[in-house]
Short mmCIF file of all heavy atoms in Angstrom, two decimals:
data_model
loop_
_atom_site.label_atom_id
_atom_site.label_comp_id
_atom_site.label_asym_id
_atom_site.label_seq_id
_atom_site.Cartn_x
_atom_site.Cartn_y
_atom_site.Cartn_z
N LYS A 1 -1.46 19.82 -24.49
CA LYS A 1 -0.09 19.34 -24.56
C LYS A 1 0.45 19.05 -23.17
O LYS A 1 1.08 18.00 -22.94
CB LYS A 1 0.79 20.37 -25.26
CG LYS A 1 2.25 19.96 -25.38
CD LYS A 1 3.09 21.05 -26.04
CE LYS A 1 4.56 20.65 -26.07
NZ LYS A 1 5.39 21.72 -26.68
N LYS A 2 0.18 19.96 -22.23
CA LYS A 2 0.64 19.77 -20.85
C LYS A 2 -0.04 18.56 -20.22
O LYS A 2 0.59 17.80 -19.48
CB LYS A 2 0.38 21.03 -20.03
CG LYS A 2 1.27 22.20 -20.40
CD LYS A 2 0.95 23.43 -19.58
CE LYS A 2 1.87 24.59 -19.96
NZ LYS A 2 1.55 25.82 -19.21
N ILE A 3 -1.34 18.40 -20.52
CA ILE A 3 -2.07 17.24 -19.99
C ILE A 3 -1.47 15.95 -20.55
O ILE A 3 -1.24 14.99 -19.81
CB ILE A 3 -3.57 17.33 -20.36
CG1 ILE A 3 -4.24 18.46 -19.56
CG2 ILE A 3 -4.27 16.00 -20.07
CD1 ILE A 3 -5.67 18.71 -19.96
N ALA A 4 -1.21 15.95 -21.86
CA ALA A 4 -0.62 14.76 -22.50
C ALA A 4 0.76 14.46 -21.93
O ALA A 4 1.11 13.30 -21.68
CB ALA A 4 -0.53 14.97 -24.02
N GLN A 5 1.55 15.53 -21.70
CA GLN A 5 2.89 15.33 -21.13
C GLN A 5 2.80 14.78 -19.72
O GLN A 5 3.56 13.89 -19.34
CB GLN A 5 3.65 16.67 -21.13
CG GLN A 5 4.07 17.13 -22.50
CD GLN A 5 4.72 18.51 -22.49
OE1 GLN A 5 4.50 19.31 -21.57
NE2 GLN A 5 5.52 18.80 -23.50
N GLN A 6 1.82 15.31 -18.93
CA GLN A 6 1.66 14.84 -17.57
C GLN A 6 1.18 13.39 -17.55
O GLN A 6 1.63 12.59 -16.72
CB GLN A 6 0.66 15.74 -16.81
CG GLN A 6 0.63 15.50 -15.31
CD GLN A 6 1.97 15.81 -14.64
OE1 GLN A 6 2.73 16.65 -15.12
NE2 GLN A 6 2.25 15.13 -13.54
N GLU A 7 0.25 13.08 -18.47
CA GLU A 7 -0.24 11.70 -18.56
C GLU A 7 0.90 10.77 -18.96
O GLU A 7 0.98 9.63 -18.47
CB GLU A 7 -1.37 11.61 -19.58
CG GLU A 7 -2.67 12.26 -19.10
CD GLU A 7 -3.75 12.24 -20.15
OE1 GLU A 7 -3.42 12.05 -21.35
OE2 GLU A 7 -4.94 12.41 -19.80
N ASP A 8 1.78 11.26 -19.84
CA ASP A 8 2.93 10.47 -20.26
C ASP A 8 3.88 10.24 -19.09
O ASP A 8 4.42 9.14 -18.92
CB ASP A 8 3.66 11.18 -21.40
CG ASP A 8 4.77 10.33 -22.00
OD1 ASP A 8 4.47 9.20 -22.41
OD2 ASP A 8 5.93 10.80 -22.06
N GLU A 9 4.07 11.28 -18.27
CA GLU A 9 4.92 11.14 -17.09
C GLU A 9 4.33 10.13 -16.11
O GLU A 9 5.05 9.33 -15.50
CB GLU A 9 5.08 12.50 -16.39
CG GLU A 9 5.94 13.49 -17.14
CD GLU A 9 7.37 13.01 -17.33
OE1 GLU A 9 7.93 12.43 -16.37
OE2 GLU A 9 7.92 13.18 -18.43
N ILE A 10 2.99 10.17 -15.97
CA ILE A 10 2.31 9.22 -15.08
C ILE A 10 2.49 7.79 -15.61
O ILE A 10 2.73 6.86 -14.85
CB ILE A 10 0.82 9.57 -14.94
CG1 ILE A 10 0.67 10.88 -14.16
CG2 ILE A 10 0.06 8.45 -14.23
CD1 ILE A 10 -0.75 11.39 -14.10
N LYS A 11 2.34 7.63 -16.95
CA LYS A 11 2.51 6.32 -17.56
C LYS A 11 3.92 5.79 -17.32
O LYS A 11 4.11 4.61 -17.01
CB LYS A 11 2.22 6.39 -19.06
CG LYS A 11 0.75 6.56 -19.40
CD LYS A 11 0.55 6.62 -20.90
CE LYS A 11 -0.91 6.81 -21.26
NZ LYS A 11 -1.12 6.92 -22.73
N LYS A 12 4.91 6.69 -17.47
CA LYS A 12 6.30 6.29 -17.24
C LYS A 12 6.51 5.89 -15.78
O LYS A 12 7.17 4.89 -15.48
CB LYS A 12 7.24 7.42 -17.61
CG LYS A 12 7.33 7.70 -19.11
CD LYS A 12 8.28 8.85 -19.39
CE LYS A 12 8.36 9.17 -20.88
NZ LYS A 12 9.25 10.32 -21.15
N ALA A 13 5.94 6.71 -14.87
CA ALA A 13 6.08 6.42 -13.44
C ALA A 13 5.37 5.11 -13.09
O ALA A 13 5.88 4.31 -12.29
CB ALA A 13 5.50 7.57 -12.62
N GLN A 14 4.17 4.90 -13.69
CA GLN A 14 3.42 3.68 -13.44
C GLN A 14 4.17 2.46 -13.95
O GLN A 14 4.22 1.41 -13.30
CB GLN A 14 2.04 3.76 -14.11
CG GLN A 14 1.14 2.57 -13.83
CD GLN A 14 0.74 2.46 -12.37
OE1 GLN A 14 0.32 3.45 -11.78
NE2 GLN A 14 0.88 1.28 -11.80
N LYS A 15 4.78 2.62 -15.16
CA LYS A 15 5.56 1.52 -15.73
C LYS A 15 6.75 1.18 -14.84
O LYS A 15 7.05 0.00 -14.62
CB LYS A 15 6.03 1.89 -17.13
CG LYS A 15 6.78 0.77 -17.84
CD LYS A 15 7.18 1.18 -19.26
CE LYS A 15 7.92 0.04 -19.95
NZ LYS A 15 8.32 0.41 -21.34
N LYS A 16 7.41 2.23 -14.34
CA LYS A 16 8.55 2.00 -13.46
C LYS A 16 8.10 1.30 -12.17
O LYS A 16 8.77 0.38 -11.67
CB LYS A 16 9.23 3.33 -13.12
CG LYS A 16 10.49 3.18 -12.28
CD LYS A 16 11.17 4.52 -12.08
CE LYS A 16 12.44 4.37 -11.27
NZ LYS A 16 13.13 5.67 -11.06
N TYR A 17 6.94 1.75 -11.65
CA TYR A 17 6.40 1.13 -10.43
C TYR A 17 6.05 -0.33 -10.70
O TYR A 17 6.37 -1.21 -9.88
CB TYR A 17 5.16 1.89 -9.97
CG TYR A 17 4.43 1.21 -8.83
CD1 TYR A 17 4.89 1.33 -7.52
CD2 TYR A 17 3.29 0.45 -9.08
CE1 TYR A 17 4.22 0.70 -6.48
CE2 TYR A 17 2.62 -0.18 -8.04
CZ TYR A 17 3.08 -0.06 -6.74
OH TYR A 17 2.42 -0.68 -5.71
N ASP A 18 5.39 -0.60 -11.84
CA ASP A 18 5.02 -1.97 -12.18
C ASP A 18 6.25 -2.85 -12.31
O ASP A 18 6.24 -4.02 -11.90
CB ASP A 18 4.21 -1.99 -13.48
CG ASP A 18 2.84 -1.35 -13.33
OD1 ASP A 18 2.38 -1.21 -12.18
OD2 ASP A 18 2.25 -0.98 -14.37
N ASN A 19 7.32 -2.29 -12.90
CA ASN A 19 8.57 -3.05 -13.03
C ASN A 19 9.17 -3.35 -11.66
O ASN A 19 9.70 -4.44 -11.43
CB ASN A 19 9.57 -2.27 -13.88
CG ASN A 19 9.19 -2.24 -15.35
OD1 ASN A 19 8.44 -3.09 -15.83
ND2 ASN A 19 9.68 -1.26 -16.08
N LEU A 20 9.08 -2.35 -10.77
CA LEU A 20 9.59 -2.56 -9.41
C LEU A 20 8.79 -3.63 -8.68
O LEU A 20 9.35 -4.46 -7.95
CB LEU A 20 9.56 -1.24 -8.63
CG LEU A 20 10.57 -0.18 -9.06
CD1 LEU A 20 10.29 1.14 -8.36
CD2 LEU A 20 12.00 -0.64 -8.75
N VAL A 21 7.45 -3.59 -8.86
CA VAL A 21 6.60 -4.61 -8.24
C VAL A 21 6.94 -5.98 -8.78
O VAL A 21 7.05 -6.96 -8.03
CB VAL A 21 5.11 -4.29 -8.50
CG1 VAL A 21 4.23 -5.46 -8.07
CG2 VAL A 21 4.69 -3.04 -7.74
N SER A 22 7.13 -6.06 -10.13
CA SER A 22 7.50 -7.32 -10.75
C SER A 22 8.84 -7.82 -10.23
O SER A 22 9.01 -9.01 -9.91
CB SER A 22 7.55 -7.15 -12.27
OG SER A 22 7.94 -8.35 -12.90
N ASP A 23 9.81 -6.88 -10.13
CA ASP A 23 11.13 -7.25 -9.59
C ASP A 23 11.01 -7.69 -8.14
O ASP A 23 11.69 -8.64 -7.71
CB ASP A 23 12.09 -6.07 -9.69
CG ASP A 23 12.47 -5.74 -11.13
OD1 ASP A 23 12.26 -6.60 -12.00
OD2 ASP A 23 12.98 -4.63 -11.37
N GLY A 24 10.13 -7.00 -7.41
CA GLY A 24 9.93 -7.35 -6.01
C GLY A 24 9.39 -8.76 -5.86
O GLY A 24 9.83 -9.52 -4.98
N LYS A 25 8.42 -9.11 -6.73
CA LYS A 25 7.85 -10.46 -6.68
C LYS A 25 8.92 -11.50 -7.03
O LYS A 25 8.99 -12.56 -6.42
CB LYS A 25 6.68 -10.57 -7.65
CG LYS A 25 5.45 -9.79 -7.23
CD LYS A 25 4.33 -9.95 -8.24
CE LYS A 25 3.09 -9.19 -7.79
NZ LYS A 25 1.98 -9.32 -8.79
N SER A 26 9.73 -11.15 -8.03
CA SER A 26 10.80 -12.07 -8.43
C SER A 26 11.80 -12.25 -7.30
O SER A 26 12.24 -13.37 -7.01
CB SER A 26 11.50 -11.51 -9.67
OG SER A 26 12.58 -12.35 -10.07
N LEU A 27 12.16 -11.13 -6.65
CA LEU A 27 13.09 -11.21 -5.52
C LEU A 27 12.48 -11.99 -4.35
O LEU A 27 13.18 -12.75 -3.66
CB LEU A 27 13.48 -9.80 -5.07
CG LEU A 27 14.36 -9.00 -6.04
CD1 LEU A 27 14.47 -7.56 -5.59
CD2 LEU A 27 15.74 -9.64 -6.15
N GLU A 28 11.17 -11.79 -4.14
CA GLU A 28 10.49 -12.51 -3.06
C GLU A 28 10.51 -14.01 -3.33
O GLU A 28 10.75 -14.82 -2.44
CB GLU A 28 9.05 -12.01 -2.92
CG GLU A 28 8.22 -12.74 -1.90
CD GLU A 28 8.76 -12.63 -0.48
OE1 GLU A 28 9.50 -11.67 -0.20
OE2 GLU A 28 8.42 -13.49 0.36
N ASN A 29 10.26 -14.38 -4.60
CA ASN A 29 10.32 -15.79 -4.96
C ASN A 29 11.72 -16.36 -4.76
O ASN A 29 11.89 -17.49 -4.28
CB ASN A 29 9.89 -15.98 -6.43
CG ASN A 29 8.42 -15.70 -6.64
OD1 ASN A 29 7.61 -15.82 -5.71
ND2 ASN A 29 8.05 -15.32 -7.86
N LYS A 30 12.72 -15.54 -5.14
CA LYS A 30 14.10 -15.97 -4.93
C LYS A 30 14.41 -16.10 -3.45
O LYS A 30 15.10 -17.04 -3.03
CB LYS A 30 15.05 -14.97 -5.59
CG LYS A 30 15.03 -14.98 -7.10
CD LYS A 30 16.00 -13.97 -7.68
CE LYS A 30 15.97 -13.97 -9.20
NZ LYS A 30 16.89 -12.96 -9.78
N ARG A 31 13.89 -15.14 -2.64
CA ARG A 31 14.12 -15.20 -1.19
C ARG A 31 13.52 -16.47 -0.60
O ARG A 31 14.16 -17.16 0.22
CB ARG A 31 13.53 -13.97 -0.52
CG ARG A 31 13.79 -13.88 0.99
CD ARG A 31 13.06 -12.73 1.62
NE ARG A 31 11.62 -12.95 1.59
CZ ARG A 31 10.97 -13.73 2.48
NH1 ARG A 31 11.65 -14.37 3.42
NH2 ARG A 31 9.66 -13.89 2.39
N GLN A 32 12.29 -16.76 -1.01
CA GLN A 32 11.63 -17.95 -0.50
C GLN A 32 12.38 -19.21 -0.92
O GLN A 32 12.50 -20.16 -0.14
CB GLN A 32 10.18 -18.01 -1.00
CG GLN A 32 9.29 -16.91 -0.42
CD GLN A 32 7.87 -16.97 -0.96
OE1 GLN A 32 7.53 -17.84 -1.75
NE2 GLN A 32 7.05 -16.02 -0.54
N LYS A 33 12.88 -19.19 -2.17
CA LYS A 33 13.64 -20.34 -2.64
C LYS A 33 14.94 -20.50 -1.86
O LYS A 33 15.33 -21.62 -1.48
CB LYS A 33 13.94 -20.20 -4.13
CG LYS A 33 14.66 -21.39 -4.73
CD LYS A 33 14.90 -21.21 -6.21
CE LYS A 33 15.54 -22.45 -6.83
NZ LYS A 33 16.80 -22.86 -6.17
N VAL A 34 15.61 -19.35 -1.61
CA VAL A 34 16.85 -19.39 -0.83
C VAL A 34 16.58 -19.90 0.57
O VAL A 34 17.34 -20.74 1.11
CB VAL A 34 17.52 -18.00 -0.79
CG1 VAL A 34 18.66 -17.98 0.21
CG2 VAL A 34 18.03 -17.62 -2.17
N GLU A 35 15.50 -19.40 1.20
CA GLU A 35 15.15 -19.85 2.55
C GLU A 35 14.85 -21.35 2.56
O GLU A 35 15.24 -22.07 3.49
CB GLU A 35 13.95 -19.06 3.07
CG GLU A 35 14.28 -17.61 3.40
CD GLU A 35 13.08 -16.86 3.94
OE1 GLU A 35 11.94 -17.41 3.85
OE2 GLU A 35 13.25 -15.74 4.44
N LYS A 36 14.15 -21.83 1.52
CA LYS A 36 13.86 -23.26 1.42
C LYS A 36 15.14 -24.04 1.22
O LYS A 36 15.34 -25.12 1.83
CB LYS A 36 12.90 -23.52 0.27
CG LYS A 36 12.49 -24.98 0.11
CD LYS A 36 11.52 -25.14 -1.02
CE LYS A 36 11.09 -26.61 -1.17
NZ LYS A 36 12.23 -27.50 -1.43
N ASP A 37 16.04 -23.49 0.36
CA ASP A 37 17.32 -24.17 0.14
C ASP A 37 18.13 -24.22 1.42
O ASP A 37 18.80 -25.24 1.70
CB ASP A 37 18.11 -23.44 -0.95
CG ASP A 37 17.51 -23.62 -2.34
OD1 ASP A 37 16.67 -24.53 -2.49
OD2 ASP A 37 17.86 -22.84 -3.24
N ILE A 38 18.08 -23.15 2.20
CA ILE A 38 18.80 -23.13 3.48
C ILE A 38 18.23 -24.18 4.43
O ILE A 38 18.97 -24.94 5.10
CB ILE A 38 18.73 -21.73 4.12
CG1 ILE A 38 19.56 -20.74 3.30
CG2 ILE A 38 19.23 -21.77 5.56
CD1 ILE A 38 19.44 -19.31 3.76
N THR A 39 16.90 -24.25 4.51
CA THR A 39 16.24 -25.22 5.38
C THR A 39 16.56 -26.65 4.93
O THR A 39 16.88 -27.52 5.76
CB THR A 39 14.71 -25.01 5.37
OG1 THR A 39 14.43 -23.69 5.84
CG2 THR A 39 14.02 -26.02 6.25
N ASP A 40 16.47 -26.86 3.60
CA ASP A 40 16.79 -28.20 3.08
C ASP A 40 18.24 -28.55 3.37
O ASP A 40 18.56 -29.71 3.70
CB ASP A 40 16.55 -28.24 1.57
CG ASP A 40 15.07 -28.16 1.22
OD1 ASP A 40 14.23 -28.37 2.13
OD2 ASP A 40 14.76 -27.88 0.04
N ASN A 41 19.13 -27.57 3.25
CA ASN A 41 20.55 -27.80 3.53
C ASN A 41 20.77 -28.14 4.99
O ASN A 41 21.56 -29.06 5.32
CB ASN A 41 21.35 -26.57 3.13
CG ASN A 41 22.83 -26.74 3.38
OD1 ASN A 41 23.34 -26.39 4.44
ND2 ASN A 41 23.53 -27.30 2.39
N GLN A 42 20.09 -27.41 5.87
CA GLN A 42 20.22 -27.69 7.31
C GLN A 42 19.71 -29.08 7.65
O GLN A 42 20.32 -29.81 8.46
CB GLN A 42 19.46 -26.62 8.10
CG GLN A 42 20.11 -25.24 8.04
CD GLN A 42 19.27 -24.17 8.71
OE1 GLN A 42 18.07 -24.36 8.91
NE2 GLN A 42 19.90 -23.06 9.03
N ASN A 43 18.59 -29.47 7.03
CA ASN A 43 18.04 -30.82 7.26
C ASN A 43 19.00 -31.88 6.72
O ASN A 43 19.21 -32.94 7.36
CB ASN A 43 16.67 -30.96 6.58
CG ASN A 43 15.62 -30.10 7.26
OD1 ASN A 43 15.73 -29.77 8.46
ND2 ASN A 43 14.58 -29.74 6.51
N ALA A 44 19.58 -31.59 5.56
CA ALA A 44 20.52 -32.54 4.97
C ALA A 44 21.76 -32.67 5.84
O ALA A 44 22.31 -33.77 6.01
CB ALA A 44 20.90 -32.09 3.56
N GLN A 45 22.22 -31.54 6.43
CA GLN A 45 23.37 -31.57 7.33
C GLN A 45 23.07 -32.44 8.55
O GLN A 45 23.91 -33.25 8.98
CB GLN A 45 23.73 -30.15 7.79
CG GLN A 45 24.35 -29.27 6.72
CD GLN A 45 24.69 -27.90 7.25
OE1 GLN A 45 25.20 -27.78 8.38
NE2 GLN A 45 24.40 -26.88 6.45
#
């Protein structure tokens, strides 16, 4: 039971980590898009 509970805790922690990694990738894509938009805006100016 303790092993199963610990494995469940690890699964929850892993899921949270995976979600953070996914969010991080999404934020990175948004950052790159914002930086590109800024560069395009500066060129347009």
